Amino acid sequence: MQQAKQVGSTNSADSTLVKLLSTEAALTWISPVENAVFNITQDAALPTIAFEFKSETRGECKWSWVIEWEAKASGLKERERKGSTLRTFKETGSFSTLNKRWEANFDEKVLGGKLTVTVIVGQQTLVRTVVIKGLNPTKESVATYVATLDDMTGFEKLLEQETRCKHFINVDSDPIVAFDQGYGITQTTNPAPSYEQVWNWKANILAGSSIYKEKVRAAKKYLSQAGRTYTDDQLKHEVFSRWNGGSYHEWDSTSNAWIKKNNIMCDSETGNIGWLMTDEKNKDKTESELHKRDKDTYKKGKKGQSADHAWVYTGVCYADHVLGQ
């Protein structure tokens, strides 16, 4: 804000000078307050955030905004995030108007994080920063939304398995982030989700639904090769296995039917960890023996895998876990 200017004037007393102060029209914020926190609604709608200022100066108002968020791993546990930033999301925008009020709108996207808004009028500048957080949807609203999508039978089971239908960690109201950069309610990793898909649980599900439908197509193609037939239950296992990684079935020429891969033993105390029993380190060992040997290395993720701890992430075990096998 520019400094006040002094002007001279006289009063009725002899030999005196009175100094009067005259300021240029002040530029000040009306709303919102600095560092105010706003929440994306449970229905995935951007909250109303009105940036408004007052000034007697007339003319064009040059607005600009920056919203950004640094993603750190959280897992599903309600605890403070630690560790380095895995990815930084950022979007910007600018426009000019005669209006002294702007309701935050990121080209119709639902985004969260730190929002900084700058407005310039003449030679004066205002800057204000607020924070946008998120609220978890109810399981009922998630189910209702999934029901509006075509060919998504069974998808709700995956959402329950991945994140218990949560999109945000309640302790900080930021999106769930896995160590492998799986984001939000579907834990989407590949293709990497957009900024909105990370913060908008509906956009996250929609992105996940495209992946799910591709897994269904791939599973049907695989199971129907060479004119082979399959059951609805086999299709479900094949789809869920591919969602996590890899096929579930192999063709058994003796019974002339699809069977579960027989070279994998699953750790029943986990969701998607098992052992290739063709590995020399695992041969002739029981599940209990292998679990005792490797359980302390699971928390290290892939870094915990080694020749002496020869366990793997496998879609076969994931499908069995989700479907209660």
Side-chain angles (χ1 to χ4, degrees):
M1 188 178 300
Q2 294 187 353
Q3 296 296 319
K5 294 181 179 179
Q6 294 183 345
V7 297
S9 181
T10 59
N11 62 11
S12 57
D14 292 337
S15 302
T16 62
L17 179 69
V18 177
K19 290 185 178 180
L20 301 178
L21 294 180
S22 174
T23 63
E24 290 191 0
L27 188 67
T28 57
W29 285 111
I30 296 174
S31 67
V33 299
E34 181 71 5
N35 294 321
V37 177
F38 297 87
N39 290 314
I40 294 169
T41 70
Q42 286 187 304
D43 198 43
L46 195 67
T48 298
I49 311 176
F51 288 86
E52 186 173 3
F53 67 93
K54 62 182 179 179
S55 173
E56 297 303 321
T57 301
R58 296 183 179 181
E60 187 178 58
C61 308
K62 297 178 181 179
W63 296 81
S64 61
W65 56 266
V66 178
I67 186 167
E68 56 187 334
W69 179 64
E70 295 183 345
K72 295 184 178 181
S74 65
L76 282 176
K77 294 184 178 179
E78 292 291 342
R79 61 187 179 189
E80 182 181 354
R81 298 171 197 248
K82 296 181 179 179
S84 60
T85 299
L86 299 177
R87 182 181 171 190
T88 298
F89 296 85
K90 182 177 181 179
E91 290 205 15
T92 64
S94 62
F95 58 95
S96 295
T97 178
L98 295 178
N99 293 330
K100 298 176 182 177
R101 187 178 190 274
W102 174 64
E103 287 191 8
N105 185 321
F106 315 121
D107 298 323
E108 306 302 325
K109 297 175 184 177
V110 177
L111 308 175
K114 183 176 72 173
L115 170 62
T116 300
V117 173
T118 301
V119 61
I120 300 173
V121 181
Q123 300 301 311
Q124 297 178 294
T125 301
L126 283 178
V127 180
R128 181 122 297 180
T129 298
V130 299
V131 179
I132 302 176
K133 297 288 189 176
L135 295 176
N136 275 310
T138 63
K139 289 186 177 181
E140 292 75 18
S141 59
V142 171
T144 298
Y145 180 70
V146 171
T148 67
L149 307 176
D150 295 330
D151 302 322
M152 294 297 291
T153 302
F155 191 63
E156 67 281 354
K157 281 185 173 291
L158 291 182
L159 298 183
E160 180 63 34
Q161 168 62 26
E162 293 288 355
T163 55
R164 305 188 198 104
C165 292
K166 288 173 58 176
H167 190 76
F168 301 100
I169 293 297
N170 292 320
V171 72
D172 61 12
S173 298
D174 283 358
I176 296 169
V177 183
F179 70 91
D180 62 352
Q181 294 196 55
Y183 291 91
I185 193 169
T186 67
Q187 287 296 278
T188 304
T189 56
N190 187 25
S194 67
Y195 197 164
E196 182 175 33
Q197 289 166 348
V198 168
W199 275 88
N200 180 339
W201 66 264
K202 288 184 178 179
N204 190 277
I205 286 178
L206 196 58
S209 72
S210 297
I211 299 171
Y212 184 76
K213 289 176 182 178
E214 178 55 39
K215 301 300 183 185
V216 172
R217 286 191 290 269
K220 288 181 177 180
K221 182 178 180 180
Y222 177 75
L223 294 174
S224 62
Q225 61 182 291
R228 295 166 180 168
T229 60
Y230 55 88
T231 66
D232 289 343
D233 187 64
Q234 286 174 328
L235 176 60
K236 191 179 298 182
H237 278 77
E238 189 66 32
V239 171
F240 284 15
S241 179
R242 288 167 180 269
W243 175 267
N244 191 256
S247 61
Y248 184 90
H249 296 91
E250 60 186 9
W251 184 255
D252 180 44
S253 56
T254 301
S255 61
N256 202 35
W258 289 109
I259 62 171
K260 174 184 175 181
K261 288 181 176 179
N262 60 17
N263 66 333
I264 295 175
M265 180 186 290
C266 296
D267 187 338
S268 58
E269 295 188 37
T270 69
N272 65 343
I273 290 176
W275 301 272
L276 293 175
M277 301 311 292
T278 52
D279 191 307
E280 290 296 329
K281 291 287 186 177
N282 300 331
K283 277 185 178 180
D284 303 321
K285 289 185 172 56
T286 66
E287 178 189 343
S288 178
E289 290 172 330
L290 291 170
H291 175 81
K292 184 177 180 180
R293 183 194 72 187
D294 296 337
K295 62 182 177 66
D296 291 336
T297 66
Y298 294 163
K299 60 187 177 183
K300 299 178 182 178
K302 290 185 178 181
K303 292 181 179 180
Q305 298 169 323
S306 66
D308 291 328
H309 297 283
W311 57 271
V312 294
Y313 292 114
T314 166
V316 171
C317 298
Y318 179 83
D320 281 350
H321 180 77
V322 174
L323 295 169
Q325 300 297 309

